[in-house]
Amino acid sequence: QNISFQASNPGQFENDSDVLWQRGHVPETIVYHGRVGINTDAPDEALVVCGNAKVMGRVMHPSDSRAKQNIREVDTNEQLRRITQMRLVEYDYKPEFASVMGITDT
C-alpha cells in the first residue's frame, strides 16, 4: 500500500531540503522530524489539530489498559485517603490561548 501526501500549494516548498517527510523504516510509515500543524501554522507540540479528528482505528495512550499488565485491585480506603490530600483547583483559560485554540467557554 502506498502512502502519499500532496501540498495544497505545490510551490510551498522552495527546494528539496525543505521537505522533511521521509519513508519510515517500518513498512507503510512516514516520518516527519519536527512539529506538524493541521489548520494551524503555529503548532506548539509534535502534532496539533485545530478542528475535529476522525479516527477509524484505535488511539493508544500510555494510560490505555491495552498497554498495561499486572492490573490489580487496590485498597479503596487508602486510595480515597490519598485523593483527599490532592489539591483541587478551578481555572479559566487565558484569553490569548482560548482564541488561538478556538475555545469559546473559557
Side-chain angles (χ1 to χ4, degrees), residues 8-51:
S8 60
N9 178 2
Q12 159 182 357
F13 301 114
E14 296 299 321
N15 56 52
D16 289 340
S17 67
D18 289 338
V19 181
L20 301 176
W21 296 96
Q22 302 173 5
R23 182 182 302 267
H25 296 290
V26 177
E28 300 181 9
T29 63
I30 57 170
V31 177
Y32 179 82
H33 297 283
R35 295 179 177 167
V36 176
I38 298 176
N39 288 331
T40 179
D41 61 357
D44 57 351
E45 296 291 343
L47 174 63
V48 176
V49 178
C50 291

Side-chain angles (χ1 to χ4, degrees), residues 24-98:
H25 296 290
V26 177
E28 300 181 9
T29 63
I30 57 170
V31 177
Y32 179 82
H33 297 283
R35 295 179 177 167
V36 176
I38 298 176
N39 288 331
T40 179
D41 61 357
D44 57 351
E45 296 291 343
L47 174 63
V48 176
V49 178
C50 291
N52 296 333
K54 186 177 220 177
V55 177
M56 302 307 287
R58 295 180 175 177
V59 174
M60 293 293 287
H61 185 278
S63 183
D64 193 315
S65 65
R66 294 171 289 181
K68 298 175 182 176
Q69 62 184 11
N70 299 326
I71 300 172
R72 57 196 170 278
E73 296 289 327
V74 295
D75 178 2
T76 306
N77 289 329
E78 173 61 18
Q79 301 313 313
L80 288 172
R81 186 189 65 73
R82 288 183 180 181
I83 290 172
T84 62
Q85 295 175 348
M86 292 175 65
R87 178 178 168 248
L88 303 177
V89 299
E90 289 183 347
Y91 60 90
D92 294 328
Y93 287 115
K94 294 180 178 179
E96 59 273 15
F97 176 80

Side-chain angles (χ1 to χ4, degrees), residues 1-14:
Q1 177 180 10
N2 291 333
I3 300 174
S4 63
F5 286 86
Q6 179 177 352
S8 60
N9 178 2
Q12 159 182 357
F13 301 114
E14 296 299 321

